[in-house]
Amino acid sequence: VAPSLRRIDKSLLPLLASIVVSTQALDASDVPVLRTLSGENATRYTNQLRGDDEFAAAEQAKARQRGGGDASEQENIKPLYCDS
């Protein structure tokens, strides 16, 4: 059994390394990654959106860039949950 476990351990090491490298690369890049905010972070983000017009405009611009299309098309975008 021991040789089989050693082979499994050796095969899992590159997999774990690739997950760590991928996670670090995503954190370092400007690629938009969905991150869920919860607790105090969510409250702080919501309050910043409500109180800081410049921040809210910047977040809206980011969301529109992710949505694609021009401004006239984006005015008609509705959330996915509206179709359910």
Side-chain angles (χ1 to χ4, degrees):
V1 175
S4 297
L5 291 178
R6 268 186 261 135
R7 279 186 281 175
I8 291 172
D9 288 344
K10 286 182 182 179
S11 66
L12 289 178
L13 187 62
L15 178 66
L16 179 62
S18 66
I19 290 172
V20 169
V21 168
S22 298
T23 303
Q24 294 299 322
L26 281 174
D27 283 343
S29 72
D30 290 335
V31 176
V33 178
L34 179 61
R35 292 190 177 102
T36 303
L37 297 175
S38 61
E40 186 63 32
N41 288 335
T43 304
R44 192 177 312 117
Y45 181 76
T46 302
N47 288 338
Q48 189 173 4
L49 281 175
R50 290 178 180 162
D52 186 351
D53 290 339
E54 290 178 17
F55 177 74
E59 291 297 304
Q60 185 178 32
K62 286 183 203 175
R64 288 188 177 197
Q65 282 180 342
R66 287 190 300 264
D70 62 7
S72 63
E73 291 176 10
Q74 291 178 356
E75 293 300 322
N76 298 324
I77 293 177
K78 60 182 178 181
L80 291 175
Y81 60 80
C82 289
D83 291 331
S84 61

